C-alpha cells in the first residue's frame, strides 16, 4: 500500500479530528468552570470510587482506549517484538532516562518546594500506559508498536515502580546529601492500575477484532465497524479532560503561581523526552511511524497511578497530590501540540519498506 500524502491525510480527517485542539481547549475551560461554579463538585466526583480507583476517570480512559486497541492488528505484533532497537530504545528512555531526568529537573527547579518536588518525581516514575495510545494514533504512529511498548511498560511498572521510588526519593538523595523521603506503593496498587486501565480495553479490543473478523471478515471489521467506534476514543478523551480539570479547578485558580512553578519542569521534561525519543528513533532509522511511537511512549506518564500513590502516601490535599494532578493538565495540551509537530515532521522521513501502520492510521 502506498503511503498517503499529507494532503490526503488532512482531507480525510473528520471535523472532530481537524479541530481537536479547539475541542480540548473547550473541555479544559468547561472543567475549570464547573470546578469553580459548583461547590463540592470535586468532592462528589472523588467520592465515586472503588478501592481507590476513580470511576469517572476510569470510565473516560476505558472509552478512550478501547477503539484504538480495537484497531490494532494483533496478528502483526511479531513484527514489533522482533525489533530489538525499538524495544531497547524504549526501555532505556522510559526506565533509565525518564526517571533520572524528572529527578534532576525537580531538584533544579523546585529546590525550595519539597512537596511539589516529590510529587513530580513520582510522576516521572509512572510511565504511561493509557493516554499515550491516543496521542500515538492521532500522530499516525505504529499501533502495533504502541500496544507492545505499553504492555512492556506495564510489566516493568509493576516490578520497578516501588523500587525506583525508594531509590529516587530515599537512596539517591542520601548519596547526594539532599533531603530524603519515602513512598508507599504496594505491588497490588500498581498492578490494579495496569489491569484496569490497560488490561480491560486491551482484552476488549483483542476480542472485538478476533470475533469481528471471524464472523464478518476483515474488510467489514475495518471498513464498517472501526469507523463507527473510532470517534468514541476522542469522546472519552474529552470527557476525561473535563473530569480532571473540574477536580482541580478551585486549586488551580487559588494557587496559580504554584501551578506555574510545577508546570515549568514538566514542560522541560515533556520537551526533552519527546525530542530525545524522536532523535533516537531517527538515528536508529526506525521510520516515521515507529519513531513517533517511541517519542510519545517516552514522553507520556501514568497520571492515574501517580495521583493515587501521592494521595495514598501524603493525602488528598498535599502538595504531592497537587503536583500529580498538574501533570496531566500540562501533558494534555503539550502532547496535543506535539501531535501536530510530529505530523509536520512526517514529510522529512523517507518512505521505507519497513512494516508500519502509518498508511493505515488515517481515519
Amino acid at each position: 500500500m502506498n503511503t498517503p500524502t499529507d494532503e490526503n491525510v488532512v482531507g480525510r480527517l473528520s471535523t472532530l479530528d481537524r479541530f481537536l485542539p479547539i475541542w480540548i481547549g473547550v473541555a479544559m475551560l468547561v472543567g475549570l468552570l464547573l470546578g469553580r461554579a459548583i461547590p463540592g463538585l470535586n468532592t462528589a466526583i472523588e467520592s465515586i470510587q472503588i478501592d481507590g480507583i476513580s470511576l469517572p476517570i476510569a470510565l473516560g480512559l476505558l472509552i478512550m482506549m478501547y477503539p484504538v486497541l480495537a484497531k490494532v492488528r494483533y496478528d502483526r505484533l511479531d513484527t514489533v517484538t522482533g525489533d530489538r532497537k525499538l524495544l531497547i530504545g524504549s526501555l532505556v528512555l522510559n526506565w533509565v532516562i525518564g526517571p533520572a531526568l524528572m529527578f534532576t529537573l525537580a531538584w533544579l527547579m523546585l529546590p525550595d518546594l519539597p512537596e511539589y518536588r516529590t510529587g513530580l518525581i513520582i510522576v516521572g516514575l509512572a510511565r504511561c500506559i493509557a493516554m499515550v495510545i491516543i496521542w500515538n494514533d492521532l500522530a499516525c504512529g505504529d499501533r502495533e508498536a504502541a500496544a507492545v511498548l505499553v504492555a512492556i511498560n506495564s510489566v516493568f511498572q509493576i516490578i520497578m515502580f516501588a523500587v525506583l521510588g525508594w531509590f529516587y526519593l530515599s537512596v539517591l538523595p542520601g548519596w547526594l546529601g539532599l533531603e530524603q523521603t519515602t513512598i508507599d506503593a504496594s505491588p497490588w496498587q500498581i498492578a490494579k492500575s495496569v489491569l484496569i486501565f490497560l488490561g480491560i480495553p486491551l482484552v476488549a479490543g483483542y476480542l472485538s477484532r478476533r470475533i469481528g473478523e471471524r464472523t464478518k471478515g476483515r474488510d467489514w471489521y475495518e471498513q464498517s465497524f472501526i469507523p463507527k467506534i473510532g470517534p468514541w476514543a476522542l469522546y472519552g478523551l474529552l470527557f476525561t479532560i473535563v473530569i480532571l480539570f473540574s477536580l482541580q479547578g478551585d486549586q488551580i485558580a487559588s494557587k496559580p503561581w504554584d501551578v506555574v512553578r510545577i508546570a515549568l519542569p514538566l514542560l522541560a521534561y515533556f520537551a526533552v523526552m519527546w525530542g530525545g525519543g524522536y532523535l533516537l528513533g531517527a538515528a536508529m532509522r526506525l521510520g516515521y511511524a515507529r519513531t513517533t511511537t517511541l517519542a510519545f511512549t517516552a514522553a507520556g506518564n501514568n497520571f492515574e497511578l501517580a495521583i493515587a500513590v501521592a494521595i495514598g502516601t501524603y493525602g488528598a490535599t498535599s502538595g504531592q497530590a497537587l503536583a500529580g494532578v498538574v501533570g496531566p493538565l500540562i501533558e494534555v495540551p503539550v502532547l496535543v501540540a506535539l501531535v501536530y509537530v510530529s505530523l509536520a515532521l512526517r514529510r522529512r522521513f523517507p518512505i521505507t519498506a519497513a512494516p508500519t501502520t502509518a498508511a493505515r492510521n488515517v481515519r
Side-chain angles (χ1 to χ4, degrees):
M1 181 182 293
N2 293 327
T3 302
T5 65
D6 290 342
E7 290 76 11
N8 288 337
V9 171
V10 174
R12 293 175 61 183
L13 286 175
S14 67
T15 301
L16 183 63
D17 290 336
R18 193 174 299 156
F19 298 104
L20 180 62
I22 295 176
W23 308 140
I24 287 180
V26 170
M28 291 177 179
L29 181 60
V30 168
L32 287 172
L33 292 176
L34 287 175
R36 292 284 289 170
I38 305 176
L41 178 63
N42 59 338
T43 303
I45 294 176
E46 289 173 349
S47 66
I48 307 174
Q49 60 174 270
I50 297 177
D51 197 20
I53 298 295
S54 168
L55 294 185
I57 292 177
L59 176 64
L61 289 176
L62 294 178
I63 293 173
M64 178 189 75
M65 292 181 65
Y66 165 68
V68 182
L69 289 170
K71 295 176 185 178
V72 172
R73 289 187 174 179
Y74 292 92
D75 57 349
R76 296 188 178 183
L77 293 184
D78 58 336
T79 66
V80 181
T81 56
D83 191 339
R84 292 186 178 180
K85 292 189 295 184
L86 175 67
L87 300 182
I88 293 173
S90 178
L91 287 174
V92 170
L93 284 170
N94 276 286
W95 297 101
V96 178
I97 296 177
L101 176 63
M102 189 68 91
F103 173 87
T104 302
L105 290 171
W107 272 100
L108 286 177
M109 304 180 78
L110 300 174
D112 56 328
L113 299 170
E115 290 188 357
Y116 297 155
R117 184 177 64 235
T118 298
L120 285 183
I121 292 172
I122 293 173
V123 169
L125 298 175
R127 312 313 301 168
C128 195
I129 62 169
M131 203 170 282
V132 67
I133 290 178
I134 199 167
W135 306 136
N136 177 74
D137 200 55
L138 289 169
C140 297
D142 189 316
R143 288 192 189 117
E144 286 72 42
V148 170
L149 295 185
V150 163
I152 291 174
N153 275 345
S154 300
V155 173
F156 267 76
Q157 197 151 242
I158 294 171
I159 298 172
M160 298 300 298
F161 184 87
V163 175
L164 289 175
W166 167 72
F167 177 76
Y168 279 106
L169 293 176
S170 182
V171 177
L172 185 56
W175 290 350
L176 299 175
L178 303 172
E179 182 181 349
Q180 297 169 279
T181 185
T182 58
I183 187 173
D184 181 17
S186 69
W188 166 240
Q189 182 182 21
I190 301 163
K192 179 175 61 179
S193 174
V194 170
L195 290 172
I196 292 174
F197 298 117
L198 177 62
I200 292 175
L202 181 61
V203 170
Y206 174 78
L207 291 177
S208 293
R209 180 169 281 278
R210 287 295 299 271
I211 295 171
E213 289 187 354
R214 284 187 176 184
T215 58
K216 296 280 190 175
R218 176 163 287 187
D219 288 342
W220 171 88
Y221 184 83
E222 295 193 344
Q223 296 173 19
S224 298
F225 181 71
I226 290 298
K228 289 180 180 178
I229 66 170
W232 282 93
L234 298 185
Y235 300 154
L237 172 64
L238 296 176
F239 175 80
T240 304
I241 291 170
V242 171
I243 294 298
L244 285 171
F245 275 70
S246 63
L247 280 171
Q248 294 296 326
D250 193 54
Q251 281 228 68
I252 293 170
S254 62
K255 298 180 179 179
W257 178 240
D258 287 6
V259 171
V260 170
R261 290 287 306 273
I262 296 169
L264 291 176
L266 283 169
L267 288 170
Y269 172 84
F270 293 135
V272 172
M273 290 301 294
W274 189 89
Y278 232 91
L279 290 174
L280 180 61
M284 293 191 297
R285 300 182 183 276
L286 295 178
Y288 172 80
R290 289 189 177 174
T291 295
T292 297
T293 301
L294 182 65
F296 278 101
T297 51
N301 293 90
N302 183 353
F303 62 84
E304 176 64 20
L305 175 60
I307 294 170
V309 170
I311 291 175
T313 304
Y314 305 103
T317 60
S318 65
Q320 291 88 343
L322 178 60
V325 170
V326 171
L329 305 190
I330 302 302
E331 177 179 334
V332 168
V334 169
L335 292 193
V336 168
L338 290 175
V339 166
Y340 286 87
V341 173
S342 183
L343 291 172
L345 292 172
R346 186 179 186 181
R347 67 191 65 188
R348 295 181 177 273
F349 282 79
I351 298 175
T352 66
T356 72
T357 56
R360 297 182 281 109
N361 271 0
V362 181
R363 283 174 293 279

